[in-house]
Amino acid sequence: DIVMTQSPDSLAVSLGERATINCKSSQSILFRSNSKSYIAWYQQKPGQPPKRLIYWASTRESGVPDRFSGSGSGTDFTLTISSLQAEDVAVYYCHQYYTTPQAFGQGTKLEIK
Amino acid sequence: QVQLKESGPGLVKPSETLSLICSVSGVSIGSGGYYWSWIRQPPGKGLEWIGHIYYSRDADHNPSLQSRISISVDTSKNHFSLSLSSMTAADTAVYFCARDTITHGLDVWGQGTTVIVSS
C-alpha cells in the first residue's frame, strides 16, 4: 500500500507570507501513459467537507485563487500558498488516487502567526 | 449541479452493523464515468479512505476494513451504500461520501454524517 507523509504537521505563517506544505509518497504515483502524477490537494475548514484545490499535482481547480499552486512529480510534492490570507486557515491534505487503497496524508494544520 | 447527501443512524451500538446511504443528485450513477467513494474522519483526526464502487463492477475496499465492509450501488434509486459490521468505538467518525473522477481525485463531497458507537 502507498503511504502519504506530509510535513510539517502544523505551520504558522504571517499574513501575506508564503506557506509551503510537503507530501511524500512511499512509491511513485506517476501514471506513465499520460505523465501525470495522481495526487490531489484538499482544504478542510472546521465543520466542512474537504474541498479539492489541486489535482494532477499542479492543476488548479476552477475557482481556486491563483495564490494556491502545486508542484512535484514521482514521489515528492508541494502545495504552496504564495501570500497567506486569513481565509486560508484550514487543514490541508494530500491524496493519492493512483492505486487502491487510496490514501491521504495525515494533514497539515495551517494557522496565522 | 451534482450533490451528494449521506444518511443513516447517528448512533450505533457496539458489535452492530452500520448502514449508510449516499443519495446522488444532478448525475446518474448508471451513466458511468465515475467511481463513488466513502471516506471517514474520526474526531480530531485525518481522513481515511474506506472504499469505492463503479456502478457495474465490484467495489474496492481498504484492506484494514476488508472483512467488515460492503459497498453497493442501486442505480434505480441513484444511491450507493456502505455497510460496516462489528462496529466498535474506533469506528466513531464523520462519514463522507464523494465522487471519484478516477483521474482527477475526489471532486464533489457530501456534508458528512456523524456516527457515534456507544451502548
Side-chain angles (χ1 to χ4, degrees), chain A residues 1 34 38 40 42 44 47-52 54-56 61 93 95 97 100-106, chain B residues 37 39 41 45-49 52 60-63 96 100-107 109-112:
Chain A
D1 298 356
N34 61 8
Y38 278 32
Y42 302 85
Q44 188 181 31
Q48 297 183 19
K51 172 189 173 184
R52 188 181 63 175
I54 302 278
Y55 59 90
W56 279 343
E61 176 80 35
Y93 295 93
H95 165 228
Y97 51 94
T100 58
Q102 296 183 11
F104 294 89
Q106 79 274 22
Chain B
S37 303
I39 300 100
Q41 184 170 39
K45 296 189 177 181
L47 302 165
E48 179 184 25
W49 186 81
H52 68 189
D60 294 306
H61 306 136
N62 193 320
F96 295 100
D100 183 345
T101 63
I102 305 172
T103 57
H104 297 63
L106 305 168
D107 68 336
W109 293 66
Q111 283 299 308

Side-chain angles (χ1 to χ4, degrees), chain A residues 23-68:
Chain A
C23 180
K24 188 175 183 67
S25 60
S26 59
Q27 304 172 36
S28 174
I29 51 177
L30 177 67
F31 198 64
R32 296 198 181 278
S33 65
N34 61 8
S35 299
K36 300 290 189 184
S37 291
Y38 278 32
I39 181 173
W41 289 94
Y42 302 85
Q43 175 192 66
Q44 188 181 31
K45 297 180 178 180
Q48 297 183 19
K51 172 189 173 184
R52 188 181 63 175
L53 301 175
I54 302 278
Y55 59 90
W56 279 343
S58 60
T59 301
R60 197 180 306 115
E61 176 80 35
S62 175
V64 171
D66 62 6
R67 64 180 181 273
F68 290 90

Side-chain angles (χ1 to χ4, degrees), chain B residues 60-114:
Chain B
D60 294 306
H61 306 136
N62 193 320
S64 67
L65 301 168
Q66 188 74 34
S67 61
R68 299 196 292 136
I69 192 173
S70 176
I71 298 175
S72 61
V73 64
D74 187 333
T75 55
S76 67
K77 296 180 179 178
N78 213 39
H79 73 214
F80 62 106
S81 304
L82 170 68
S83 178
L84 186 61
S85 64
S86 304
M87 294 283 282
T88 71
D91 296 310
T92 292
V94 176
Y95 286 75
F96 295 100
C97 58
R99 185 174 75 169
D100 183 345
T101 63
I102 305 172
T103 57
H104 297 63
L106 305 168
D107 68 336
V108 182
W109 293 66
Q111 283 299 308
T113 187
T114 298

Side-chain angles (χ1 to χ4, degrees), chain A residues 12-19 67 81-89 92 110-113:
Chain A
V13 174
S14 300
L15 289 172
E17 296 298 306
R18 178 184 300 263
R67 64 180 181 273
I81 307 171
S82 60
S83 177
L84 188 70
Q85 305 299 303
E87 61 265 32
D88 301 334
V89 169
Y92 292 84
L110 178 58
E111 299 173 313
I112 305 294
K113 184 187 291 184

